[in-house]
Amino acid sequence: GNSVTQMEGPVTLSEEAFLTINCTYTATGYPSLFWYVQYPGEGLQLLLKATKADDKGSNKGFEATYRKETTSFHLEKGSVQVSDSAVYFCALSLMNAGNMLTFGGGTRLMVKP
Amino acid sequence: EPEVTQTPSHQVTQMGQEVILRCVPISNHLYFYWYRQILGQKVEFLVSFYNNEISEKSEIFDDQFSVERPDGSNFTLKIRSTKLEDSAMYFCASSEVIRYGTEAFFGQGTRLTVV
């Protein structure tokens, strides 16, 4: 079946630190890969996505590269801010499964000033 | 910016009661989804809906659950006889088309508490 594994949190960083949240996947086909973010009290928002191998998704200073050889889609940011504190979800979808999303467990990021 | 809206934001119900969770997807979207997240666990797919019928459903989506698009704007999830283990955050989502890499837009969720 399809599954997504991401590092457990919480991840606590100081402002301006470098962030990596690891995500690996298994899929029965060729998936699209996503990072969603959930800020406190809000719903899930798409942060970035990539649809084929070696594609890099980027948004708001966050980046993730679709690595087919390692089945990974790690999220990185060079310098985090307090406002980045949120829960981050890695997910995949397959078109032959109606684009339903399979999520990882979520990683809570806390950034301290 | 268009958004998916869900009501209510929080619902408390007694075990065995029926609940209806409501969603208004983005107006030009054609595909609708329900997901749920039990506290501390993964976000899980429940069901997808297109052209007035269920297109995919998970094993969680048993006979106690049903979905409906009663008019041109609302999309509802009904739980017929709630159990304690149905307590969760329920997210509605919609997408415009089914294409490779199409993103889904999520609502803010309804927190269902069964007592």
Side-chain angles (χ1 to χ4, degrees):
Chain A
N2 305 315
S3 68
V4 176
T5 303
Q6 59 182 108
M7 60 192 288
E8 290 190 19
V11 173
T12 304
L13 295 173
S14 297
E15 212 165 18
E16 299 184 3
F18 184 85
L19 168 72
T20 301
I21 300 178
N22 289 338
C23 171
T24 57
Y25 67 89
T26 59
T28 53
Y30 200 130
S32 298
L33 301 174
F34 304 84
W35 278 99
Y36 278 83
V37 59
Q38 185 178 29
Y39 298 103
E42 299 185 16
L44 296 164
Q45 302 174 26
L46 179 70
L47 180 60
L48 53 84
K49 69 178 183 182
T51 58
K52 61 183 190 294
D54 299 325
D55 264 4
K56 181 187 284 188
S58 61
N59 186 23
K60 300 182 181 178
F62 291 89
E63 293 182 338
T65 301
Y66 191 143
R67 300 284 186 208
K68 195 164 184 286
E69 64 276 12
T70 54
T71 61
S72 65
F73 193 54
H74 304 320
L75 183 68
E76 296 183 336
K77 187 174 185 184
S79 176
V80 293
Q81 306 299 313
V82 172
S83 56
D84 293 327
S85 298
V87 182
Y88 292 81
F89 294 91
C90 186
L92 67 82
S93 73
L94 289 158
M95 212 173 87
N96 64 358
N99 269 14
M100 66 180 221
L101 289 159
T102 299
F103 285 90
T107 302
R108 181 175 298 280
L109 170 66
M110 295 190 293
V111 181
K112 296 185 174 179
Chain B
E1 185 175 322
E3 58 181 16
V4 177
T5 56
Q6 291 185 242
T7 54
S9 56
H10 191 186
Q11 171 115 29
V12 181
T13 188
Q14 290 206 323
M15 194 168 55
Q17 295 296 304
E18 174 184 286
V19 293
I20 297 176
L21 309 183
R22 302 180 193 281
C23 170
V24 179
I26 294 173
S27 62
N28 63 334
H29 285 190
L30 301 176
Y31 296 84
F32 313 116
Y33 308 84
W34 284 101
Y35 292 81
R36 79 170 185 192
Q37 184 181 29
I38 295 171
L39 189 64
Q41 297 185 25
K42 289 187 178 186
V43 178
E44 301 171 291
F45 168 78
L46 291 178
V47 66
S48 59
F49 191 86
Y50 168 69
N51 201 26
N52 278 325
E53 58 184 29
I54 290 173
S55 44
E56 304 275 347
K57 62 181 181 178
S58 72
E59 54 197 33
I60 303 168
F61 194 88
D62 61 22
D63 292 344
Q64 290 298 311
F65 292 89
S66 61
V67 289
E68 196 179 27
R69 189 152 161 82
D71 53 43
S73 58
N74 290 284
F75 179 51
T76 61
L77 174 69
K78 182 192 291 185
I79 309 174
R80 259 181 270 284
S81 177
T82 50
K83 309 184 194 70
L84 294 176
E85 54 264 36
D86 294 327
S87 296
M89 181 72 90
Y90 288 81
F91 292 105
C92 174
S94 68
S95 66
E96 191 175 358
V97 293
I98 293 288
R99 262 200 306 264
Y100 195 67
T102 304
E103 70 177 276
F105 292 81
F106 283 78
Q108 293 190 324
T110 293
R111 180 166 298 285
L112 176 65
T113 303
V114 182
V115 298

